[in-house]
Amino acid sequence: MTLKGMTRRDALRAGVAGAAASALPLVNVHGQTSGGRLAVGFWDHWVPAGNEAMRAIVDDWSKKNRVEVQIDFITSVGNKLLLTTAAEAQARQGHDILAFSTWLVQDHQRMLEPVDDVMGRLVQKYGKVNPVSEYLGKVGGKWMAVPASSGSQNKGSAARIDLMKQHAGIDVQAMYPAETRLGPGADQWTWETFLTAAQKCNAAGMPFALPAGTFSDATDWIGAMFRSYGAELVNAKGDITIRSNDKVKQALDYAARLFQHIPGEMFAADDATNNRALIANRSALIFNPPSAYAVAKRDAPQVAEQVWHFPSPMGPAGHYTPHLPFFWGIWNFSRAKPAAKALLEHLSQREQVEKLVAATDGYDIPAFDTLTDLDTWSTVGPPRGTVFNYPVKPHHKAEPSIAFAPAPPEVAVQMYTQGIQAKMIARMVQNKEPVDRVLAWAEREVEGFNR
Amino acid sequence: MSSLPPGIPAAIAPPRAGTLQRLARRRSTLAFLMTLPLIALIGSLVIYPFFYALYLSMLNKRMTKFVGIDNFTFLLGRETFQMVIWQSVIFAVGAVVAKAIIGFVLAHVLHALPDKGQRKWRGMLLVPWVIPPAISTLAWWWLFDPSYSAFNWALAGIGAGPVPWLGEANWARFAVILVNVWYGAPFFMIMYLAALKSVPDQLYEASAIDGATGLQKLRYVTLPMMRNIISITVLFSLIVTFANFDIVRILTNGGPQDSTHVFGTYAFQVGIQSGDIPLGAAVSLFMFPMLAVFAIFILRGVSRRSKEMAG
Amino acid sequence: MSGATVAQPADSAPIYHKAGSLRRERRRALIGAYIALAVFVVFFLTPPFHMLMTSLKSSAEIADLSGNPWIVSRPTLENYWALLSQGSYLTHFVNSVMVTVCVVAITMVISTFAAFALARMRFWGSTALATGVFLTYLVPETLLFIPLFQTIGGLGMYNNLWAMVLLYPTLTVPFCTWIMIGYFSSIPKELDEAALIDGANHFQMLWKIFIPVALPGILAATIFAFTVSWAQFLYPLAFLVSSDQMVLTVGIISDLIRGDTFQWGMIMAGALMAALPPLLVYAFLMDYYIAGLTAGATKG
């Protein structure tokens, strides 16, 4: 039985993996997998249908390849997934494959099995990987984990069609239509335009709900804004570039002006505050994946009908949309590495990605360039096509980005979890500190991360 | 010693040398065996990991090099960590004092009620303590939400403006303390109520005959009788509050601008979220010397007093 | 006699003066007591009341922020029903009960023996041990769980419900031991000497004399252990991954919050139902509890 299962897997590997497979140590498979068992910890998708679709795909694969797969869906709520990752790294046991959120591949790089072979084949087939996934998933030029579609998200604009038209005079649906072209006004969708719109909507009692606390919704959009002003706190080489950096000053100055029109309470907002604002018909725009929209569809359908998703604004130094990727990594203590790799490769095929994206109403963003044209994004509604522009598409001329890139990840992750940029803004706006003092403070903080 | 209340059994017979001496050896072996499960449990699941954590805290970020006390000196030099230290102190001391006072008042008030009514009130006052705190804190968090919360809705109803419960440093500090007090006060209440019930009525009668006022009774009868329970409860609560994690984590995540971070949340942010486990361990370890001195001091006092009582 | 009992409410109310206006004083004190109680009951019960109201709302009503958040306009039991009929709430509930019962049992055995030995059979280092036991609370869970990952992992008990049975006693045993040391040392020593002379060994002495006499103290410790293990959050959050292994506290968080969307109605319903077992335990054992704490604590 074991032997039979093994040869079948070999056959599979030969099919998918080609020549690379023959290099894999077969003894390993035979000696340690005990007939092929795989324990997988996936991210617990907030759309339950996402979990079901995943389970169906894996069950199917498991039957075909005679590998027994045990699946756990682990929530990221309450930092559960984070703790689980730390736990398994320390305990050196747990799952074979685990979902790694944003920065965790970097944190646990020495405990992960390189997946260059798998990634090489996937890139050949599906094109380039987006820069954020590459920045977070590669260590020293080697892929340490496979970018996962499941859970990867963008945090572009989710705005009210009616309110933006009525109060700000912007027809967001025309600007970013559900077609592969830009509409009128898209070239003017800058942070300055955004500020004027924020002002008008705030005056009309429908303020933009832009969080500026230490939760990731705040960190992500602020990071994209800084980047589109070219404002780097730490550059790619790891030098601190804060003091007398005009671009940082420019970004801060912009934020100070913008926050004149954002409710003060947003400095204490968490990741649910903006969703609630949109769903409760109290805000014209938030930066969020379509989760807010999906809940609105259930609880407040008349609001959902008016929600349109499109990229965040551009700045003088470029057009960046916040992107938070998930990865699937294989622990180096796993005893079923070949099977784990085969499963990950299977999950990354277009056919599977298509199913997963469809099951989650388009929430998931695949990392590969050629996979941003799936049908789901055109069909979800009402309004039909609301998430068409949710993934970054080639015609947007935008780039997915993560806050604090391209600083070296071990410094960037600390700036990220501490929400340094948001705190700088809070110091400017809430404490009314002069900009030089804010910069000096930030520099001292960042120096501490550089140890 | 001479003020020993008659209600508490204190009799001790002088040891009988003959029988007991023979048993002494066997007895201490047996006693050791009886405490062995305790020692094994604490040793393997607290002491050993504690020393391991101590070792961890002396490694560099990637856990590849021994750096001695560098992590500790590094932390002490950080502005944010200095804030964390005094915020932890404010949080723990503020919350424990408030809990102790509220618990004391409530215990007194309850004790004065007729027995029948007491149960009902006691039951209601215990509710905060029986709801799992991880979830009740979520409920509080929702109540505090600035624009969509039930609190600010009610305030608006009476014409008051919205309060930035979690948005402004001092309000946020107040809010995290408030929730901790809400959760912990019933525990104090129960502990004190128990102590109050143990004060023999004869003592009050005697003091009444001496013409003592209510305050004098409180000061010369009630408080001395409750000193041990107050010490132990305060100590226990102080330690647990210092180490608190859930409440701050859920309500503010340390914000706004780090103004509510305490040891537990800061350690988590540094250690788990930013991937610097040694530094996170070092943060948590700061609590230990600060409280150990205090704890030994209190526990000694308690032991001394109970020995005095016992004879 | 009556003067003595009246004096106590006066502690928190205006100072008690003379015996002349006794009746009026007493009534005033009682009114003061009820006012104080009412204030605190409002403070203590406001969040639970809001939880109750929320648990009776449909998700559409919760999302609609135009109404009064403190009342429910179309009460429904759908949240409770959904929890009980689908999903893993019941599994988690049963897990919580199993873990708590085992932890309480283990705690009581360990701390009864230890307290007996420490209170009665002084041996080398016993005083230091008694103090040291309490000091273990100084090592917070937030520090311990990282090294414990290795310990638990080494035992092969990662993601195993029974690891909780191993871990929780570290949180319950020290305090319970302290309560019981206090209680045991208040038992007159003539009793055990008499027993020894009758030829009873130490176990018989513990079983036949100490446990029956100290039963309220044991119940007090039991209730403490129950509350702590029922509400523990960090260890299960860190060590349990599979849904079928989870306990209530973590189960509610992990099943009912999806990303940034909270199913408030079900969360609140789940929390209120989770509060029932401790509430019942208190209702039945309260009087014993108070009596038990009394002796343990004042002597402790």
mmCIF file with all atom_site columns, all heavy atoms in Angstrom, chain C residues 219-238:
data_model
loop_
_atom_site.group_PDB
_atom_site.id
_atom_site.type_symbol
_atom_site.label_atom_id
_atom_site.label_alt_id
_atom_site.label_comp_id
_atom_site.label_asym_id
_atom_site.label_entity_id
_atom_site.label_seq_id
_atom_site.pdbx_PDB_ins_code
_atom_site.Cartn_x
_atom_site.Cartn_y
_atom_site.Cartn_z
_atom_site.occupancy
_atom_site.B_iso_or_equiv
_atom_site.pdbx_formal_charge
_atom_site.auth_seq_id
_atom_site.auth_comp_id
_atom_site.auth_asym_id
_atom_site.auth_atom_id
_atom_site.pdbx_PDB_model_num
ATOM 1   N N   . LEU C 1 219 ? -13.660 23.625 49.230 1.00 0.00 ? 219 LEU C N   1
ATOM 2   C CA  . LEU C 1 219 ? -14.623 24.121 48.244 1.00 0.00 ? 219 LEU C CA  1
ATOM 3   C C   . LEU C 1 219 ? -14.205 25.493 47.722 1.00 0.00 ? 219 LEU C C   1
ATOM 4   O O   . LEU C 1 219 ? -14.331 25.770 46.527 1.00 0.00 ? 219 LEU C O   1
ATOM 5   C CB  . LEU C 1 219 ? -16.007 24.228 48.880 1.00 0.00 ? 219 LEU C CB  1
ATOM 6   C CG  . LEU C 1 219 ? -16.761 22.912 48.969 1.00 0.00 ? 219 LEU C CG  1
ATOM 7   C CD1 . LEU C 1 219 ? -18.075 23.113 49.711 1.00 0.00 ? 219 LEU C CD1 1
ATOM 8   C CD2 . LEU C 1 219 ? -17.028 22.380 47.576 1.00 0.00 ? 219 LEU C CD2 1
ATOM 9   N N   . ALA C 1 220 ? -13.716 26.317 48.617 1.00 0.00 ? 220 ALA C N   1
ATOM 10  C CA  . ALA C 1 220 ? -13.273 27.646 48.189 1.00 0.00 ? 220 ALA C CA  1
ATOM 11  C C   . ALA C 1 220 ? -12.187 27.521 47.139 1.00 0.00 ? 220 ALA C C   1
ATOM 12  O O   . ALA C 1 220 ? -12.244 28.155 46.081 1.00 0.00 ? 220 ALA C O   1
ATOM 13  C CB  . ALA C 1 220 ? -12.751 28.433 49.378 1.00 0.00 ? 220 ALA C CB  1
ATOM 14  N N   . ALA C 1 221 ? -11.233 26.665 47.412 1.00 0.00 ? 221 ALA C N   1
ATOM 15  C CA  . ALA C 1 221 ? -10.153 26.456 46.453 1.00 0.00 ? 221 ALA C CA  1
ATOM 16  C C   . ALA C 1 221 ? -10.709 25.880 45.154 1.00 0.00 ? 221 ALA C C   1
ATOM 17  O O   . ALA C 1 221 ? -10.295 26.258 44.060 1.00 0.00 ? 221 ALA C O   1
ATOM 18  C CB  . ALA C 1 221 ? -9.115  25.531 47.055 1.00 0.00 ? 221 ALA C CB  1
ATOM 19  N N   . THR C 1 222 ? -11.666 24.967 45.279 1.00 0.00 ? 222 THR C N   1
ATOM 20  C CA  . THR C 1 222 ? -12.278 24.372 44.098 1.00 0.00 ? 222 THR C CA  1
ATOM 21  C C   . THR C 1 222 ? -12.887 25.439 43.197 1.00 0.00 ? 222 THR C C   1
ATOM 22  O O   . THR C 1 222 ? -12.685 25.433 41.982 1.00 0.00 ? 222 THR C O   1
ATOM 23  C CB  . THR C 1 222 ? -13.394 23.392 44.512 1.00 0.00 ? 222 THR C CB  1
ATOM 24  O OG1 . THR C 1 222 ? -12.876 22.508 45.473 1.00 0.00 ? 222 THR C OG1 1
ATOM 25  C CG2 . THR C 1 222 ? -13.915 22.643 43.312 1.00 0.00 ? 222 THR C CG2 1
ATOM 26  N N   . ILE C 1 223 ? -13.612 26.348 43.806 1.00 0.00 ? 223 ILE C N   1
ATOM 27  C CA  . ILE C 1 223 ? -14.277 27.366 43.004 1.00 0.00 ? 223 ILE C CA  1
ATOM 28  C C   . ILE C 1 223 ? -13.264 28.276 42.330 1.00 0.00 ? 223 ILE C C   1
ATOM 29  O O   . ILE C 1 223 ? -13.406 28.632 41.162 1.00 0.00 ? 223 ILE C O   1
ATOM 30  C CB  . ILE C 1 223 ? -15.252 28.180 43.874 1.00 0.00 ? 223 ILE C CB  1
ATOM 31  C CG1 . ILE C 1 223 ? -16.377 27.262 44.323 1.00 0.00 ? 223 ILE C CG1 1
ATOM 32  C CG2 . ILE C 1 223 ? -15.802 29.356 43.105 1.00 0.00 ? 223 ILE C CG2 1
ATOM 33  C CD1 . ILE C 1 223 ? -17.422 27.941 45.154 1.00 0.00 ? 223 ILE C CD1 1
ATOM 34  N N   . PHE C 1 224 ? -12.231 28.598 43.071 1.00 0.00 ? 224 PHE C N   1
ATOM 35  C CA  . PHE C 1 224 ? -11.184 29.426 42.467 1.00 0.00 ? 224 PHE C CA  1
ATOM 36  C C   . PHE C 1 224 ? -10.592 28.704 41.254 1.00 0.00 ? 224 PHE C C   1
ATOM 37  O O   . PHE C 1 224 ? -10.481 29.271 40.166 1.00 0.00 ? 224 PHE C O   1
ATOM 38  C CB  . PHE C 1 224 ? -10.091 29.734 43.486 1.00 0.00 ? 224 PHE C CB  1
ATOM 39  C CG  . PHE C 1 224 ? -8.922  30.481 42.902 1.00 0.00 ? 224 PHE C CG  1
ATOM 40  C CD1 . PHE C 1 224 ? -8.957  31.857 42.790 1.00 0.00 ? 224 PHE C CD1 1
ATOM 41  C CD2 . PHE C 1 224 ? -7.805  29.796 42.449 1.00 0.00 ? 224 PHE C CD2 1
ATOM 42  C CE1 . PHE C 1 224 ? -7.900  32.548 42.234 1.00 0.00 ? 224 PHE C CE1 1
ATOM 43  C CE2 . PHE C 1 224 ? -6.742  30.483 41.880 1.00 0.00 ? 224 PHE C CE2 1
ATOM 44  C CZ  . PHE C 1 224 ? -6.786  31.855 41.781 1.00 0.00 ? 224 PHE C CZ  1
ATOM 45  N N   . ALA C 1 225 ? -10.244 27.446 41.457 1.00 0.00 ? 225 ALA C N   1
ATOM 46  C CA  . ALA C 1 225 ? -9.646  26.679 40.357 1.00 0.00 ? 225 ALA C CA  1
ATOM 47  C C   . ALA C 1 225 ? -10.604 26.598 39.176 1.00 0.00 ? 225 ALA C C   1
ATOM 48  O O   . ALA C 1 225 ? -10.207 26.718 38.018 1.00 0.00 ? 225 ALA C O   1
ATOM 49  C CB  . ALA C 1 225 ? -9.273  25.278 40.838 1.00 0.00 ? 225 ALA C CB  1
ATOM 50  N N   . PHE C 1 226 ? -11.869 26.429 39.491 1.00 0.00 ? 226 PHE C N   1
ATOM 51  C CA  . PHE C 1 226 ? -12.875 26.339 38.427 1.00 0.00 ? 226 PHE C CA  1
ATOM 52  C C   . PHE C 1 226 ? -12.900 27.617 37.595 1.00 0.00 ? 226 PHE C C   1
ATOM 53  O O   . PHE C 1 226 ? -12.826 27.574 36.366 1.00 0.00 ? 226 PHE C O   1
ATOM 54  C CB  . PHE C 1 226 ? -14.254 26.080 39.052 1.00 0.00 ? 226 PHE C CB  1
ATOM 55  C CG  . PHE C 1 226 ? -15.330 25.872 38.038 1.00 0.00 ? 226 PHE C CG  1
ATOM 56  C CD1 . PHE C 1 226 ? -15.658 24.589 37.624 1.00 0.00 ? 226 PHE C CD1 1
ATOM 57  C CD2 . PHE C 1 226 ? -16.020 26.948 37.501 1.00 0.00 ? 226 PHE C CD2 1
ATOM 58  C CE1 . PHE C 1 226 ? -16.649 24.386 36.683 1.00 0.00 ? 226 PHE C CE1 1
ATOM 59  C CE2 . PHE C 1 226 ? -17.004 26.753 36.554 1.00 0.00 ? 226 PHE C CE2 1
ATOM 60  C CZ  . PHE C 1 226 ? -17.321 25.471 36.147 1.00 0.00 ? 226 PHE C CZ  1
ATOM 61  N N   . THR C 1 227 ? -12.991 28.761 38.287 1.00 0.00 ? 227 THR C N   1
ATOM 62  C CA  . THR C 1 227 ? -13.079 30.034 37.554 1.00 0.00 ? 227 THR C CA  1
ATOM 63  C C   . THR C 1 227 ? -11.855 30.256 36.693 1.00 0.00 ? 227 THR C C   1
ATOM 64  O O   . THR C 1 227 ? -11.961 30.650 35.536 1.00 0.00 ? 227 THR C O   1
ATOM 65  C CB  . THR C 1 227 ? -13.191 31.209 38.546 1.00 0.00 ? 227 THR C CB  1
ATOM 66  O OG1 . THR C 1 227 ? -14.050 30.830 39.597 1.00 0.00 ? 227 THR C OG1 1
ATOM 67  C CG2 . THR C 1 227 ? -13.721 32.437 37.859 1.00 0.00 ? 227 THR C CG2 1
ATOM 68  N N   . VAL C 1 228 ? -10.694 30.010 37.271 1.00 0.00 ? 228 VAL C N   1
ATOM 69  C CA  . VAL C 1 228 ? -9.474  30.272 36.531 1.00 0.00 ? 228 VAL C CA  1
ATOM 70  C C   . VAL C 1 228 ? -9.367  29.375 35.299 1.00 0.00 ? 228 VAL C C   1
ATOM 71  O O   . VAL C 1 228 ? -9.088  29.837 34.198 1.00 0.00 ? 228 VAL C O   1
ATOM 72  C CB  . VAL C 1 228 ? -8.238  30.101 37.438 1.00 0.00 ? 228 VAL C CB  1
ATOM 73  C CG1 . VAL C 1 228 ? -6.962  30.092 36.624 1.00 0.00 ? 228 VAL C CG1 1
ATOM 74  C CG2 . VAL C 1 228 ? -8.200  31.222 38.458 1.00 0.00 ? 228 VAL C CG2 1
ATOM 75  N N   . SER C 1 229 ? -9.662  28.095 35.471 1.00 0.00 ? 229 SER C N   1
ATOM 76  C CA  . SER C 1 229 ? -9.493  27.239 34.291 1.00 0.00 ? 229 SER C CA  1
ATOM 77  C C   . SER C 1 229 ? -10.596 27.472 33.265 1.00 0.00 ? 229 SER C C   1
ATOM 78  O O   . SER C 1 229 ? -10.363 27.319 32.080 1.00 0.00 ? 229 SER C O   1
ATOM 79  C CB  . SER C 1 229 ? -9.398  25.752 34.638 1.00 0.00 ? 229 SER C CB  1
ATOM 80  O OG  . SER C 1 229 ? -9.849  25.483 35.896 1.00 0.00 ? 229 SER C OG  1
ATOM 81  N N   . TRP C 1 230 ? -11.743 27.849 33.725 1.00 0.00 ? 230 TRP C N   1
ATOM 82  C CA  . TRP C 1 230 ? -12.833 28.099 32.774 1.00 0.00 ? 230 TRP C CA  1
ATOM 83  C C   . TRP C 1 230 ? -12.515 29.307 31.892 1.00 0.00 ? 230 TRP C C   1
ATOM 84  O O   . TRP C 1 230 ? -12.848 29.340 30.723 1.00 0.00 ? 230 TRP C O   1
ATOM 85  C CB  . TRP C 1 230 ? -14.134 28.321 33.550 1.00 0.00 ? 230 TRP C CB  1
ATOM 86  C CG  . TRP C 1 230 ? -15.340 28.379 32.685 1.00 0.00 ? 230 TRP C CG  1
ATOM 87  C CD1 . TRP C 1 230 ? -16.005 29.495 32.286 1.00 0.00 ? 230 TRP C CD1 1
ATOM 88  C CD2 . TRP C 1 230 ? -16.040 27.277 32.089 1.00 0.00 ? 230 TRP C CD2 1
ATOM 89  N NE1 . TRP C 1 230 ? -17.065 29.169 31.494 1.00 0.00 ? 230 TRP C NE1 1
ATOM 90  C CE2 . TRP C 1 230 ? -17.110 27.813 31.350 1.00 0.00 ? 230 TRP C CE2 1
ATOM 91  C CE3 . TRP C 1 230 ? -15.853 25.892 32.118 1.00 0.00 ? 230 TRP C CE3 1
ATOM 92  C CZ2 . TRP C 1 230 ? -18.001 27.004 30.646 1.00 0.00 ? 230 TRP C CZ2 1
ATOM 93  C CZ3 . TRP C 1 230 ? -16.746 25.100 31.406 1.00 0.00 ? 230 TRP C CZ3 1
ATOM 94  C CH2 . TRP C 1 230 ? -17.801 25.657 30.691 1.00 0.00 ? 230 TRP C CH2 1
ATOM 95  N N   . ALA C 1 231 ? -11.864 30.306 32.472 1.00 0.00 ? 231 ALA C N   1
ATOM 96  C CA  . ALA C 1 231 ? -11.687 31.563 31.749 1.00 0.00 ? 231 ALA C CA  1
ATOM 97  C C   . ALA C 1 231 ? -10.336 31.693 31.072 1.00 0.00 ? 231 ALA C C   1
ATOM 98  O O   . ALA C 1 231 ? -10.098 32.655 30.358 1.00 0.00 ? 231 ALA C O   1
ATOM 99  C CB  . ALA C 1 231 ? -11.878 32.747 32.708 1.00 0.00 ? 231 ALA C CB  1
ATOM 100 N N   . GLN C 1 232 ? -9.430  30.745 31.269 1.00 0.00 ? 232 GLN C N   1
ATOM 101 C CA  . GLN C 1 232 ? -8.076  30.883 30.740 1.00 0.00 ? 232 GLN C CA  1
ATOM 102 C C   . GLN C 1 232 ? -8.092  31.061 29.226 1.00 0.00 ? 232 GLN C C   1
ATOM 103 O O   . GLN C 1 232 ? -8.839  30.416 28.507 1.00 0.00 ? 232 GLN C O   1
ATOM 104 C CB  . GLN C 1 232 ? -7.232  29.680 31.142 1.00 0.00 ? 232 GLN C CB  1
ATOM 105 C CG  . GLN C 1 232 ? -5.868  29.588 30.498 1.00 0.00 ? 232 GLN C CG  1
ATOM 106 C CD  . GLN C 1 232 ? -4.973  30.783 30.772 1.00 0.00 ? 232 GLN C CD  1
ATOM 107 O OE1 . GLN C 1 232 ? -5.188  31.498 31.708 1.00 0.00 ? 232 GLN C OE1 1
ATOM 108 N NE2 . GLN C 1 232 ? -3.996  31.030 29.945 1.00 0.00 ? 232 GLN C NE2 1
ATOM 109 N N   . PHE C 1 233 ? -7.261  31.971 28.742 1.00 0.00 ? 233 PHE C N   1
ATOM 110 C CA  . PHE C 1 233 ? -7.325  32.341 27.332 1.00 0.00 ? 233 PHE C CA  1
ATOM 111 C C   . PHE C 1 233 ? -6.004  32.161 26.585 1.00 0.00 ? 233 PHE C C   1
ATOM 112 O O   . PHE C 1 233 ? -5.968  31.595 25.503 1.00 0.00 ? 233 PHE C O   1
ATOM 113 C CB  . PHE C 1 233 ? -7.775  33.800 27.234 1.00 0.00 ? 233 PHE C CB  1
ATOM 114 C CG  . PHE C 1 233 ? -7.937  34.296 25.829 1.00 0.00 ? 233 PHE C CG  1
ATOM 115 C CD1 . PHE C 1 233 ? -8.906  33.751 24.992 1.00 0.00 ? 233 PHE C CD1 1
ATOM 116 C CD2 . PHE C 1 233 ? -7.136  35.304 25.342 1.00 0.00 ? 233 PHE C CD2 1
ATOM 117 C CE1 . PHE C 1 233 ? -9.062  34.207 23.696 1.00 0.00 ? 233 PHE C CE1 1
ATOM 118 C CE2 . PHE C 1 233 ? -7.287  35.756 24.038 1.00 0.00 ? 233 PHE C CE2 1
ATOM 119 C CZ  . PHE C 1 233 ? -8.257  35.213 23.224 1.00 0.00 ? 233 PHE C CZ  1
ATOM 120 N N   . LEU C 1 234 ? -4.912  32.607 27.201 1.00 0.00 ? 234 LEU C N   1
ATOM 121 C CA  . LEU C 1 234 ? -3.664  32.657 26.440 1.00 0.00 ? 234 LEU C CA  1
ATOM 122 C C   . LEU C 1 234 ? -3.122  31.271 26.089 1.00 0.00 ? 234 LEU C C   1
ATOM 123 O O   . LEU C 1 234 ? -2.710  31.026 24.959 1.00 0.00 ? 234 LEU C O   1
ATOM 124 C CB  . LEU C 1 234 ? -2.611  33.455 27.210 1.00 0.00 ? 234 LEU C CB  1
ATOM 125 C CG  . LEU C 1 234 ? -1.321  33.704 26.438 1.00 0.00 ? 234 LEU C CG  1
ATOM 126 C CD1 . LEU C 1 234 ? -1.582  34.542 25.203 1.00 0.00 ? 234 LEU C CD1 1
ATOM 127 C CD2 . LEU C 1 234 ? -0.280  34.374 27.295 1.00 0.00 ? 234 LEU C CD2 1
ATOM 128 N N   . TYR C 1 235 ? -3.129  30.349 27.053 1.00 0.00 ? 235 TYR C N   1
ATOM 129 C CA  . TYR C 1 235 ? -2.577  29.029 26.759 1.00 0.00 ? 235 TYR C CA  1
ATOM 130 C C   . TYR C 1 235 ? -3.361  28.297 25.661 1.00 0.00 ? 235 TYR C C   1
ATOM 131 O O   . TYR C 1 235 ? -2.762  27.801 24.711 1.00 0.00 ? 235 TYR C O   1
ATOM 132 C CB  . TYR C 1 235 ? -2.487  28.187 28.032 1.00 0.00 ? 235 TYR C CB  1
ATOM 133 C CG  . TYR C 1 235 ? -1.308  28.560 28.914 1.00 0.00 ? 235 TYR C CG  1
ATOM 134 C CD1 . TYR C 1 235 ? -1.313  28.314 30.273 1.00 0.00 ? 235 TYR C CD1 1
ATOM 135 C CD2 . TYR C 1 235 ? -0.170  29.146 28.372 1.00 0.00 ? 235 TYR C CD2 1
ATOM 136 C CE1 . TYR C 1 235 ? -0.228  28.648 31.082 1.00 0.00 ? 235 TYR C CE1 1
ATOM 137 C CE2 . TYR C 1 235 ? 0.912   29.495 29.164 1.00 0.00 ? 235 TYR C CE2 1
ATOM 138 C CZ  . TYR C 1 235 ? 0.879   29.241 30.529 1.00 0.00 ? 235 TYR C CZ  1
ATOM 139 O OH  . TYR C 1 235 ? 1.944   29.578 31.310 1.00 0.00 ? 235 TYR C OH  1
ATOM 140 N N   . PRO C 1 236 ? -4.681  28.237 25.759 1.00 0.00 ? 236 PRO C N   1
ATOM 141 C CA  . PRO C 1 236 ? -5.381  27.579 24.651 1.00 0.00 ? 236 PRO C CA  1
ATOM 142 C C   . PRO C 1 236 ? -5.195  28.317 23.328 1.00 0.00 ? 236 PRO C C   1
ATOM 143 O O   . PRO C 1 236 ? -5.107  27.700 22.272 1.00 0.00 ? 236 PRO C O   1
ATOM 144 C CB  . PRO C 1 236 ? -6.850  27.580 25.078 1.00 0.00 ? 236 PRO C CB  1
ATOM 145 C CG  . PRO C 1 236 ? -6.958  28.510 26.220 1.00 0.00 ? 236 PRO C CG  1
ATOM 146 C CD  . PRO C 1 236 ? -5.612  28.563 26.869 1.00 0.00 ? 236 PRO C CD  1
ATOM 147 N N   . LEU C 1 237 ? -5.099  29.647 23.397 1.00 0.00 ? 237 LEU C N   1
ATOM 148 C CA  . LEU C 1 237 ? -4.889  30.399 22.162 1.00 0.00 ? 237 LEU C CA  1
ATOM 149 C C   . LEU C 1 237 ? -3.565  30.014 21.523 1.00 0.00 ? 237 LEU C C   1
ATOM 150 O O   . LEU C 1 237 ? -3.444  29.878 20.318 1.00 0.00 ? 237 LEU C O   1
ATOM 151 C CB  . LEU C 1 237 ? -4.909  31.904 22.454 1.00 0.00 ? 237 LEU C CB  1
ATOM 152 C CG  . LEU C 1 237 ? -4.785  32.831 21.248 1.00 0.00 ? 237 LEU C CG  1
ATOM 153 C CD1 . LEU C 1 237 ? -6.081  32.863 20.467 1.00 0.00 ? 237 LEU C CD1 1
ATOM 154 C CD2 . LEU C 1 237 ? -4.409  34.239 21.667 1.00 0.00 ? 237 LEU C CD2 1
ATOM 155 N N   . ALA C 1 238 ? -2.575  29.806 22.370 1.00 0.00 ? 238 ALA C N   1
ATOM 156 C CA  . ALA C 1 238 ? -1.242  29.534 21.855 1.00 0.00 ? 238 ALA C CA  1
ATOM 157 C C   . ALA C 1 238 ? -1.038  28.061 21.487 1.00 0.00 ? 238 ALA C C   1
ATOM 158 O O   . ALA C 1 238 ? -0.299  27.752 20.570 1.00 0.00 ? 238 ALA C O   1
ATOM 159 C CB  . ALA C 1 238 ? -0.186  29.961 22.872 1.00 0.00 ? 238 ALA C CB  1
#
